[in-house]
Amino acid sequence: MKRIVTITAALLFLILNFRTEAQETQYKAQSFDTLFHTQIGEGAFYTEYENQSVPLKIQMVKFNLNQSGLEIRTVAANNLLAGGYEKTSDMKSKLEDENTFVVAGVNGDFYAAGGVPTNVQIVDGEMLRAPISRDIIAFDSTFKPWIAKNTSFSGQVTGNGISVNINNINASRGANQLIAYNTFSGNKTGANAYGTEIGLKVLSEVSVNRPAQYVVTRIEKNKGDMSFNGDNLILSAHGTAANNFDGLAVDDTLSVQLNLNPFTNAILEAVGGNGQFLKNGEVIETWAEWHPRTAIGFSQDTTTGYFMVVDGRQSASRGMTTGQMGIFMKSLGASDAINLDGGGSSTMLVQDEVVNNPSDGIERSVANAVFVTLPYSGTGEVERVKLRTNNPKVFMNKSTTLKALGFDSNHKFKQLPISEVDFNVGESLGIVSSNGVFNASMEAGSGYIYLSYGSFEDSTKITILGVGEIKLSPKNVSLDMTMEFSPSYLVYDELGHEQSVPRNEINWSVTNSELGTIDSAGKYKATGVGNNGVIATYGNISDTTWAVVYNTEGYHIVNDFSKLDDWAITTEHLPVDSVKLTQLENEVIEVSFRYPPNNKEPHIFLNHKSKIEGVPKFANIVSASDGGNYVVTLDIETETRDRFRMNPTRYASFTEPEVMHYTFKKGEVSGLNSTNFYFPFNFESVNIRLPKNTTNGNIEGYIRLYEVGVSYGDTPVSNEKESQLVLPQNVNLNQNYPNPFNPTTNISFSLPKSSNVELKVFDLLGREVQVLVNERLSSGGYHYTFDASALSSGVYFYQLKTDAGLLSKKMTLIK
């Protein structure tokens, strides 16, 4: 036995180890296809990766941190701490001029209401807010990167015999506190009048963890809410903190140092994130959910930096966990990386272009962003071209946009005018339109699209994906001669990805044209009784669903309750042992129950599956009860396991056997887990809903079930138990059910003979709300659904006008 346990444990270890290695292999860059690669600046390269088996799309910018003139810069939305939101592509304009261009950028930290970053941000040496305990990435005066957690703030003001600690930056001032405000806080400090505020103009360069020299321009006491008026910093002190500045005068100089601990280097830029997922080459899973994500990383020797975005929440790219991102970035040479604000905010900007596909469908406005910049000499002449396509793998008969990019000597690119570009592609692949859109042919294959621009040339590989599978549903459907049927369909490419194909592009046909016809949109109409195949073809792949047309008539018994053992009881909000089934004479089952006070409606389910053939118009159940307000519904299930509930038009409160009718209409068959109702179906259960027990004691009762059947004609029921029901001698208008209701209710009435009928709904003021019936009807029972979705809560009246006179009842709408 010990030997077996040892072998089992060893096998388990091997299986788990294999799974780990398989995941690492799958998320290494070597397992991805490279869709596009180009240089975007001195020492900077942009690459797009794809793994269609997951599927995944990744955008990566890799840059040399030692490149001369390269800088890492952060930007706050609208240059304010609480500046609201701004797109990453708009924030880059704050950094660009005739001497500088933005190589790439990604969105930054998570943010709270008003666009306030969750963690610390440092912009060009100025701190916007103090840090919290979550991870940050910072860059020193040489733009060397650092990732840290549990950083803290401290600050000091010295000079002119003053030495006082700063409590916070751009925050609300408390009692006996000294707060520093810079222009990122807004136009004014917002402090109250109980204190001293000092305006300062900077005299030296500013960086965190280093002192900066300032000259005093203004001193205001007991005024508060000081405006900047050209100053760079305002010191706002209260109580004992203000006493430190009693001897200070205008034109005095002060030294102010703000610190980001435990760093000792001079820090120029920093943003926060949520989880360092790669540390010293070790992958750490900090967020195990699959999402679009943004990250920044660097190599162990801090000479190489990485911006990464992975698309997610879409069919072309699932997203990643942070651990999977760590595996990928490590395989490219990164040793440390931090997760920034991903999700719908995930954005990568390469120069002027958003290169990823945000899950929102558009670029989201965010609180801050991080950029790589390089010097720009402004030559601007095209020195090379690059052909780029939005999607190098195109499903047949689909299109993708081509972009011709021209690069200057600094690798700064612009999109070339399509009218000046020549494209060449083999006819078997497709054609390129005059506006630079490649339209794929209906033939799977691969080849190249060639670009010519003056003396420059480039090419890109294009793959036309063929059909892998087409699926029709349902696989079988029952119809009668009056019905039309349009099957649902899904088309998958050869990689297993779902593709959108319009109905009129599918080739529709039937196996027997004598039994039915089908139009170009896939709508089938029967012309004869029998079994006919409906075929959908796209490319060279087909699928078939079978339409069986019936001409069934009459009434058929589904279940007669003659065998107690055929029925299994389940309950909801009611113990099963509170219900008892008893076989009575004449093939009747009595369901008796006893239940205590309950604020929920108990349900009793009598489960027994029965196959229903053909296309019935009505379901019927014969029952009797002790007179309680019980609701009896019928639950059915299609062959695709879509469940539906057939609701009655009245309570099962009659004490003698009566027939209740259930209509197979879309408005009266409610989906339990689907909205696609097709014949045939299985009868699944009788559902008895009991009223809430709002009393102080137990409620006892019973309901007796005689028969469940279906009618295939326009007459709801025809069997011997119908003889127990007598046609009404007078016009009868029943109370609506349910009542109160929201937003629909059923109104039923019966006629002893044919009559002109009007059924109308009025509000309390007598204004007509809706006409439900205005026609001549034959004798019998009728029911109609009243939809009050557009009406407000209140009391309404419904009035039945016949040749015999007027009847009306009251109903209540509660929303």
Side-chain angles (χ1 to χ4, degrees), residues 79-107:
N79 287 329
L80 291 170
L81 171 62
Y85 311 99
E86 196 173 8
K87 293 180 179 179
T88 303
S89 55
D90 292 333
M91 282 190 259
K92 84 174 187 70
S93 62
K94 298 177 174 62
L95 301 174
E96 265 187 336
D97 55 35
E98 65 275 9
N99 299 313
T100 305
F101 81 97
V102 171
V103 176
V106 291
N107 60 289

Side-chain angles (χ1 to χ4, degrees), residues 595-602 691-699:
Y595 60 102
N598 191 349
N599 61 357
K600 295 182 179 180
E601 293 177 327
K692 297 177 184 177
N693 184 356
T694 58
T695 70
N696 294 323
N698 293 324
I699 287 181

Side-chain angles (χ1 to χ4, degrees), residues 27-39:
Y27 293 102
K28 288 180 179 178
Q30 293 88 335
S31 65
F32 284 70
D33 293 331
T34 300
L35 301 182
F36 185 74
H37 176 79
T38 192
Q39 189 168 2

Side-chain angles (χ1 to χ4, degrees), residues 29 37 79 426 452 483 497 567 647 675 718 759 767:
H37 176 79
N79 287 329
S452 297
M483 300 169 66
H497 301 147
W567 300 89
N647 297 300
T675 57
S718 176
L759 179 61
R767 294 173 297 194

Side-chain angles (χ1 to χ4, degrees), residues 697-732:
N698 293 324
I699 287 181
E700 296 184 5
Y702 70 87
I703 188 166
R704 292 170 181 165
L705 302 173
Y706 294 78
E707 183 176 291
V708 176
V710 291
S711 297
Y712 291 88
D714 293 331
T715 303
V717 66
S718 176
N719 70 337
E720 67 275 10
K721 293 193 172 57
E722 184 74 34
S723 63
Q724 298 176 13
L725 300 177
V726 181
L727 283 175
Q729 299 300 312
N730 301 301
V731 176
N732 184 31

